[in-house]
Amino acid sequence: MLRISREDYELLRRHGEETYPYECCGVLLGQFAEDGSRAVSSAARCGNTRTDSAHNRYNIDPRELVRIQREGRERGEEIVGFYHSHPDHPAQWSATDLAEAHWIGCSYVITSVEQGKAAVTNSFELTGSDENDKRLVDEAVEVEG
Ligand SMILES: [Zn+2]
């Protein structure tokens, strides 16, 4: 399960509307709970470095990711997930999304943006033990506040 404040939830959905018809992407920071759920305490927007195919691909600059991780740690936050949008496509992960997901135990949040308006937001947990058996599994999103 992913727990997220109304504010952060709206922020990631609005980000997808702003970058439409291109994909947005960002990082979710917070804490891993003992029950295996993740609690988001802040969301960091990223620039999409995929300029070749930004309408259906996303990529976070590794240097930007390292900076976000370091700044999060200074506030006592860990990277607990990632988000991106699917302009005019369902909020379901693609084969590419799975191939490019590497943070086992983290959430991957996808928002469908239909004609510029954020529609469905789904979250998937990357489970498995390594790259060979990793899977994206549906998980509940609890929006608080
Ligand atoms: Zn995707």
Side-chain angles (χ1 to χ4, degrees):
M1 183 197 282
L2 182 70
R3 296 175 205 278
I4 186 167
S5 69
R6 174 69 56 190
E7 191 181 344
D8 288 330
Y9 184 73
E10 292 303 333
L11 183 142
L12 70 86
R13 285 169 56 82
R14 276 200 305 273
H15 193 190
E17 294 180 345
E18 284 174 28
T19 60
Y20 181 90
Y22 302 113
E23 289 198 6
C24 72
C25 54
V27 180
L28 302 172
L29 295 137
Q31 310 292 336
F32 293 94
E34 282 187 15
D35 64 3
S37 69
R38 286 153 295 285
V40 176
S41 48
S42 68
R45 290 169 166 235
C46 296
N48 186 353
T49 63
R50 288 295 298 233
T51 51
D52 54 332
S53 184
H55 60 286
N56 61 4
R57 301 292 287 276
Y58 76 101
N59 184 56
I60 296 171
D61 183 333
R63 287 164 301 183
E64 192 172 17
L65 188 57
V66 166
R67 178 181 57 75
I68 289 167
Q69 186 172 36
R70 189 185 60 234
E71 290 175 359
R73 285 204 172 132
E74 287 168 3
R75 298 189 301 265
E77 295 176 326
E78 296 289 332
I79 291 175
V80 297
F82 300 87
Y83 71 86
H84 72 285
S85 61
H86 281 178
D88 296 320
H89 278 282
Q92 292 295 323
W93 54 271
S94 64
T96 304
D97 288 336
L98 177 60
E100 295 181 351
H102 305 297
W103 291 61
I104 288 169
C106 280
S107 291
Y108 286 78
V109 176
I110 300 172
T111 299
S112 59
V113 182
E114 294 173 2
Q115 299 186 346
K117 293 296 285 180
V120 178
T121 296
N122 287 324
S123 188
F124 308 91
E125 179 185 354
L126 187 67
T127 66
S129 52
D130 60 29
E131 286 288 314
N132 297 313
D133 71 351
K134 67 183 183 181
R135 291 184 301 138
L136 283 166
V137 179
D138 290 28
E139 68 171 351
V141 179
E142 194 171 284
V143 182
E144 294 164 338

